[in-house]
Amino acid sequence: MMTAWFGAQVVFGYGGIRHKAAYRKGMAMKVTIKDRATGTVLATASDPAQVFAFEGNWYFAPEAVNQAVLKVTADTYTCSYKGTCNWVNFDDGTHLTPQVAWVYPAPKAGYERIAGRYGFYAGTRTTTVEERE
């Protein structure tokens, strides 16, 4: 089962929403996102303060991501309800994977929780792989 802290009171899992107590019973998981081409770890965390699921994606605190290989770009995307984000590329000096993540530096009202966090698509994608323990 996949679980991640969401908001102040609930945990999401494939089986639906579980209460905060479920997290305390050891149901939380470590989430790791890797670059698909190289296997380099882009982000990893199990602490609910460091990673949470939101709208089907993972949002990691900056200290939980590999900032040595993740480069925030000037390229942007504008979401009508969250605001404007910057795309993040993977670049280890020998391999470049564009748009592996995104960051909303100043999201619109109601989305403050994702401000400054690195967003990654959940699951295995063209550019990234999600692992759970």
Side-chain angles (χ1 to χ4, degrees):
M1 172 176 39
M2 175 186 74
T3 58
W5 190 255
F6 181 82
Q9 297 297 319
V10 296
V11 175
F12 272 103
Y14 286 122
I17 298 174
R18 291 176 172 48
H19 293 283
K20 186 175 179 181
Y23 180 80
R24 290 190 180 138
K25 291 180 182 176
M27 295 177 70
M29 296 184 129
K30 180 178 180 181
V31 179
T32 300
I33 305 293
K34 293 182 177 182
D35 177 69
R36 186 180 185 109
T38 66
T40 302
V41 172
L42 306 179
T44 189
S46 57
D47 182 346
Q50 300 294 308
V51 62
F52 61 88
F54 183 70
E55 296 184 344
N57 300 308
W58 292 110
Y59 284 87
F60 288 83
E63 53 272 17
V65 303
N66 184 351
Q67 293 190 29
V69 297
L70 291 175
K71 312 298 182 199
V72 178
T73 72
D75 297 334
T76 61
Y77 169 78
T78 301
C79 171
S80 61
Y81 55 97
K82 286 186 267 186
T84 301
C85 70
N86 291 83
W87 285 109
V88 179
N89 294 343
F90 165 73
D91 185 354
D92 67 358
T94 59
H95 183 81
L96 172 68
T97 306
Q99 300 182 351
V100 296
W102 60 90
V103 175
Y104 283 91
K108 291 182 177 183
Y111 293 91
E112 294 87 352
R113 184 147 191 240
I114 64 172
R117 289 183 172 261
Y118 287 69
F120 292 89
Y121 294 111
T124 298
R125 309 290 286 204
T126 302
T127 58
T128 56
V129 176
E130 173 190 332
E131 295 179 354
R132 291 177 248 140
E133 294 177 28

